[in-house]
Amino acid sequence: MTALDTAVTAARAGAAELLAARGGDLQIAYKDARANLVTVADTRSQAAITRVILQAFPEHAVDGEEGRAGPPDAANVWYVDPLDGTTNFSRGMPFYCVSIALRSSGETALGVVYDPIHDELFTAGKDKGAFLNGRPCLVSGTASVDRAVVVAQAQTSAAGEIRAYAELVERLMLVCGGVRSFGSPALALCAIACGRLDAYCEHAMDAWDILAGQLILAEAGGTLTTFSGAPHTSVKRADVVASNGMIHAELMTALKGLLCLTSTRPCCP
């Protein structure tokens, strides 16, 4: 079984745990004061994903939102969000997914995002294109920000981060055709990749939130950078802007001067 086949199998195994947990006792706990929650479905999904990956590739490691497994010095690391959109899931809102990316030699080699509610499987391999249920993905043709529908979201109880999010939304609403918040970074990136949305902005994103979606977007013709406009090529937490590519420069101009939470300085002085 190839690495991509393994990722797909693992994503479906994790999603099966999510679907099985619906309607039961989710055992909700909070990672912060009130906004960042975790359920038993998150941990069961990650356990199922980890089993599939490490059975196929025991020398690899899994770095997920709910913990790490495998050799600590592994050269190949799988970044896993076992339930991207936990709050949506906990409320019965049908917008959540499993996100899996494999990093090798400092690059993201593959990405898989699976939405079990709509049975939509997004896949990409480095330089091999992006696909939705086997059909090629392509970004939208929106050519100006004033016609763009953009996602901006935050999940935090920290006052400073809330203020930064409010300023971000204000900037976007002054120039964009519409601003939305769906609560799932991976699905937002995939929605840009297949032309449903035009852009996405969010502060302080972890690798497991965005790596798979970032590759899928890139392979569909889109762009993801930091708020400063620099390429995002590492697994470090980052403030990110993603788009169909055509509106990226205009979008960056609109965001000039916003605070970068991951560097505590203006993004574009």
Side-chain angles (χ1 to χ4, degrees), residues 94-233:
F95 198 81
Y96 54 85
C97 65
V98 174
S99 177
I100 300 174
L102 171 62
R103 292 274 291 187
S104 181
S105 301
E107 289 189 325
T108 304
L110 63 85
V112 168
V113 173
Y114 181 52
D115 171 357
I117 294 297
H118 302 99
D119 192 25
E120 290 193 329
L121 179 70
F122 298 88
T123 61
K126 178 68 174 174
D127 299 323
K128 295 181 179 178
F131 301 88
L132 167 55
N133 290 344
R135 300 185 303 275
C137 289
L138 185 64
V139 295
S140 74
T142 302
S144 62
V145 164
D146 64 351
R147 294 293 182 265
V149 178
V150 181
V151 169
Q153 53 197 34
Q155 182 169 289
T156 181
S157 59
E161 295 180 17
I162 292 169
R163 285 191 294 271
Y165 172 65
E167 185 176 358
L168 171 62
V169 171
E170 181 181 15
R171 290 285 190 92
L172 292 172
M173 291 191 73
L174 286 170
V175 298
C176 295
V179 179
R180 302 290 183 267
S181 180
F182 294 123
S184 172
L187 281 181
L189 290 168
C190 289
I192 303 170
C194 67
R196 296 170 181 169
L197 294 169
D198 304 303
Y200 155 77
C201 309
E202 191 163 358
H203 288 289
M205 299 312 297
D206 289 305
W208 48 72
D209 291 309
I210 61 169
L211 284 184
Q214 180 181 358
L215 181 64
I216 292 165
L217 174 62
E219 291 293 321
T223 300
L224 184 147
T225 69
T226 66
F227 271 38
S228 68
H232 180 52
T233 58

Side-chain angles (χ1 to χ4, degrees), residues 21-142:
R22 290 184 305 171
D25 179 8
L26 295 179
Q27 302 174 36
I28 295 172
Y30 287 84
K31 298 179 180 180
D32 65 3
R34 64 180 181 274
N36 191 1
L37 57 86
V38 63
T39 73
V40 68
D42 296 74
T43 55
R44 288 176 181 170
S45 175
Q46 181 154 322
I49 292 165
T50 300
R51 282 194 298 271
V52 171
I53 291 172
L54 294 187
Q55 183 175 26
F57 300 100
E59 72 282 10
H60 290 195
V62 174
D63 191 354
E65 184 167 9
E66 310 311 326
R68 186 179 172 98
D73 58 348
N76 299 283
V77 181
W78 299 73
Y79 288 86
V80 172
D81 192 337
L83 174 48
D84 185 47
T86 300
T87 299
N88 290 347
F89 173 82
S90 72
R91 295 301 185 105
M93 296 170 60
F95 198 81
Y96 54 85
C97 65
V98 174
S99 177
I100 300 174
L102 171 62
R103 292 274 291 187
S104 181
S105 301
E107 289 189 325
T108 304
L110 63 85
V112 168
V113 173
Y114 181 52
D115 171 357
I117 294 297
H118 302 99
D119 192 25
E120 290 193 329
L121 179 70
F122 298 88
T123 61
K126 178 68 174 174
D127 299 323
K128 295 181 179 178
F131 301 88
L132 167 55
N133 290 344
R135 300 185 303 275
C137 289
L138 185 64
V139 295
S140 74
T142 302

